[in-house]
Amino acid sequence: MTLPEANSRRKFLKNSIAALAGITIVPRHVLGGKGYLAPSDHLTKGIIGVGSMGRGHIPYAGTKVVAICDVEQNHLKIALDKIGSTVKTFSDYRELIQLPEVDIVHIATPPHWHGIMAADAARAGKDIWCEKPMTRTIGEGKRVVEAVQQHGRIFRLNTWFRFEDMFYGMRTPVKPIKKLVESGLLGWPLKVTVGATTGYDWKFYWVGKTNLDPMPVPATLNYDAWLGPAPYKPYNPHRVHQTFRGYWDYDGGGLGDMGQHYLDPVQYFLGKDDTSPVSVEVDAPQQHTDAVGTWRRITYTYADGCQIILDGEGKDTNAAYIEGPNGKLYPGFRSDIPDLEKKLAAFPDPQPQVTNFVDAVKNRKKFALNEENGHRSCTIVNMGLAALKLGRSLKYDPVKQEFIDDEGANRLIDQPMRAPFVI
C-alpha cells in the first residue's frame, strides 16, 4: 500500500468511527409506528399485579420494566424496592396501558381481571403476556381472541409445558409425548388420565370457606378496585391474595389454578388446538354458590372418541397416562410397547414452535401458546367449572362455542360484570 493510500484509508476509518460514535438507538415509541423495534432494543414492559407472581417476572431476559400497577400499596412498595424508584407506579391499570413507552403488558392479577385487561391492552396497542388461566369464562376468552387479532397484537399465555421443562409427574418434556402420539404407535382414539397416579396434584387445598365474617379493609388495599368486575362481597382476607382461588367469583379452585398447566399440553399433543371436547361429565359433591369445593372425577370426550379423565381422588391406581388401542404410556416414558424408544426414533420430530416471546414480539410471529390455542385449552377448564357449578354433565358445540340445549350453562359463558366494567 502506498503512503497516499494509507493516509486515505486512515482518514476514512477516522471519519467512520466518528460517525458511529454519534449514533444512538432511538426507542420505538419515539420513532413511531407500531411493530417497529430496533434489534438491539430491550422491550419495555408494564406489569399489572406485582404480588409474588408479577415480581417473579421482573428480570425476564430481553425486557425492561418501566411501569407497575397494583391496588395493594404494599405490593407496589416491595416491587419498587426491587426495581428502583425510576419506574412509574399506578393503582389503575387503564393508566398504565396508555403509556406510549410500554411495549408489553404483563397481566399477573387474579383471573377475574385477565380477560378485561388483556382485551383493553390489545385495544391500546400493547403486546400481552398473561398468566393462567387465560380467562375466567369462555365468553371472555372469545373477546380476548377478537381483540388481539383485530389489533394485530402478539399474545403469550404463561404456561410453558407444551414446549419446555419436565411435564410434572411424567418426568419427561412434552415433545417426545407429542412425537409418540403423532407416530400412531398407540393407536386411536386415546384416553389421557390426569391425577395423582400419573403425577398431577389437583391442589384441593384451594377451597373456599362458607362462613366468612365481614372484616375491615386494610388501609393499604383498594378492595373495591381489587373486586373490579366481580360482584361485591364483604371483605375478608381469605377472599384476596393467595386464597382467592377458592371462590367462584375470582377463580375455580385447584382446577382453575392448575388446569391450564396440565391440560394445555394434552390439547397440543392430541392435535386439538383448534377445537374443544363435545361433552363434559362430572362426579362431585354439590358445590356452594360462593366457595369452590372439591370433585371426584371429570371426564371430557372429543368428537372422535378421545377422552381426558381428571381423577380427583387418585382412584385409578393402575392408570396409564395415555392409553390407546395398541399400547399405554406411563410416567417416566415407560410403556407396554416393546422397544418403544427404538421404534419411535424412526419417526419425525414434531414441528418446531416459536418459544421465545421477545423474538416473537420483535419479529411479529405468533407465539407457540397464543390467544387461539390458549383460549381452547382454557375452554376445557371453564367447561369443567361450569359443569361443577351446575352439578350436571354438559354437551358442547366446539364450532359455535356454546353448550347444547342448556340455557343455564350458556348463561355461564358470558357472565354479568359489575358496572362500569365490560369486555
Side-chain angles (χ1 to χ4, degrees), residues 122-123 143-153 371:
R123 295 175 190 127
R143 302 292 88 76
V144 171
V145 172
E146 291 165 1
V148 167
Q149 296 186 350
Q150 180 181 352
H151 295 276
R153 309 324 304 160
E371 74 283 359

Side-chain angles (χ1 to χ4, degrees), residues 315-361:
K315 192 173 182 179
D316 298 332
T317 56
N318 296 314
Y321 178 64
I322 306 177
E323 180 176 348
N326 301 335
K328 300 177 181 180
L329 182 71
Y330 295 90
F333 217 73
R334 294 181 298 107
S335 177
D336 60 355
I337 299 176
D339 301 318
L340 176 63
E341 295 194 36
K342 185 176 180 180
K343 292 174 180 175
L344 198 56
F347 292 90
D349 288 335
Q351 289 295 310
Q353 306 176 77
V354 178
T355 60
N356 184 299
F357 184 62
V358 170
D359 289 347
V361 170

Side-chain angles (χ1 to χ4, degrees), residues 227-247:
L227 288 172
Y232 177 80
K233 301 282 175 66
Y235 172 81
N236 183 287
H238 204 259
R239 285 194 174 278
V240 300
H241 304 329
Q242 289 85 357
T243 46
F244 67 79
R245 298 191 186 280
Y247 299 91

Side-chain angles (χ1 to χ4, degrees), residues 25 38 68 83 123 210 309 409 416:
I25 297 172
I68 56 176
I83 304 170
R123 295 175 190 127
T210 60
I309 310 294

Side-chain angles (χ1 to χ4, degrees), residues 31-292:
L31 291 171
K34 293 179 181 178
Y36 174 81
L37 188 69
S40 56
D41 271 358
H42 272 61
L43 295 171
T44 55
K45 180 168 64 178
I47 304 177
I48 306 173
V50 285
S52 58
M53 179 60 72
R55 294 194 301 271
H57 286 267
I58 286 170
Y60 187 77
T63 68
K64 178 183 179 182
V65 177
V66 297
I68 56 176
C69 174
D70 207 296
V71 297
E72 168 59 75
Q73 293 175 27
N74 288 331
H75 289 175
L76 285 174
K77 183 180 183 303
I78 296 169
L80 271 177
D81 289 344
K82 185 172 183 176
I83 304 170
S85 59
T86 57
V87 68
K88 293 182 179 180
T89 62
F90 300 92
S91 59
D92 188 333
Y93 80 95
R94 291 168 292 191
E95 297 179 66
L96 182 148
I97 64 174
Q98 294 302 325
L99 291 176
E101 62 265 35
V102 170
D103 297 319
I104 301 166
V105 170
H106 184 165
I107 301 168
T109 64
H112 68 290
W113 272 112
H114 289 182
I116 290 177
M117 289 179 174
D120 282 351
R123 295 175 190 127
K126 308 304 181 186
D127 297 315
I128 301 151
W129 179 312
C130 185
E131 295 301 321
K132 53 75 194 167
M134 179 173 155
T135 56
R136 199 183 65 86
T137 70
I138 294 170
E140 290 174 15
K142 292 162 69 174
R143 302 292 88 76
V144 171
V145 172
E146 291 165 1
V148 167
Q149 296 186 350
Q150 180 181 352
H151 295 276
R153 309 324 304 160
I154 304 299
F155 181 95
R156 173 191 174 151
L157 185 66
N158 193 32
T159 177
W160 52 90
F161 293 102
R162 70 162 57 204
F163 52 84
E164 66 179 30
D165 269 2
M166 292 295 178
F167 188 34
Y168 291 98
M170 283 302 290
R171 304 191 300 278
T172 178
V174 167
K175 184 177 178 179
I177 302 175
K178 172 74 167 172
K179 183 174 181 176
L180 173 60
V181 170
E182 289 184 339
S183 74
L185 291 172
L186 295 174
W188 201 265
L190 301 176
K191 180 176 75 173
V192 180
T193 300
V194 185
T197 301
T198 53
Y200 299 85
D201 177 9
W202 283 111
K203 295 190 177 180
F204 284 149
Y205 46 78
W206 292 135
V207 295
K209 296 182 178 181
T210 60
N211 57 347
L212 295 179
D213 293 325
M215 297 181 68
V217 179
T220 59
L221 174 66
N222 184 337
Y223 180 57
D224 188 67
W226 187 93
L227 288 172
Y232 177 80
K233 301 282 175 66
Y235 172 81
N236 183 287
H238 204 259
R239 285 194 174 278
V240 300
H241 304 329
Q242 289 85 357
T243 46
F244 67 79
R245 298 191 186 280
Y247 299 91
W248 293 113
D249 290 340
Y250 326 121
D251 201 355
L255 179 54
D257 181 24
M258 301 307 296
Q260 203 150 16
H261 274 324
Y262 294 170
L263 300 177
D264 177 76
V266 179
Q267 186 87 337
Y268 165 64
F269 66 63
L270 288 179
K272 306 294 188 185
D273 273 344
D274 59 353
T275 190
S276 301
V278 296
S279 69
V280 54
E281 303 169 61
V282 292
D283 175 15
Q286 179 63 48
Q287 300 290 306
H288 189 270
T289 55
D290 182 34
V292 181

Side-chain angles (χ1 to χ4, degrees), residues 136-137 140 248-249 389 410-417:
R136 199 183 65 86
T137 70
E140 290 174 15
W248 293 113
D249 290 340
K389 289 182 75 172
N410 282 326
R411 282 200 294 268
L412 297 178
I413 290 178
D414 289 295
Q415 297 176 30
M417 293 183 175

Side-chain angles (χ1 to χ4, degrees), residues 379-394:
T379 292
I380 304 177
V381 175
N382 285 322
M383 285 176 65
L385 295 177
L388 285 172
K389 289 182 75 172
L390 294 168
R392 60 177 178 264
S393 298
L394 304 170

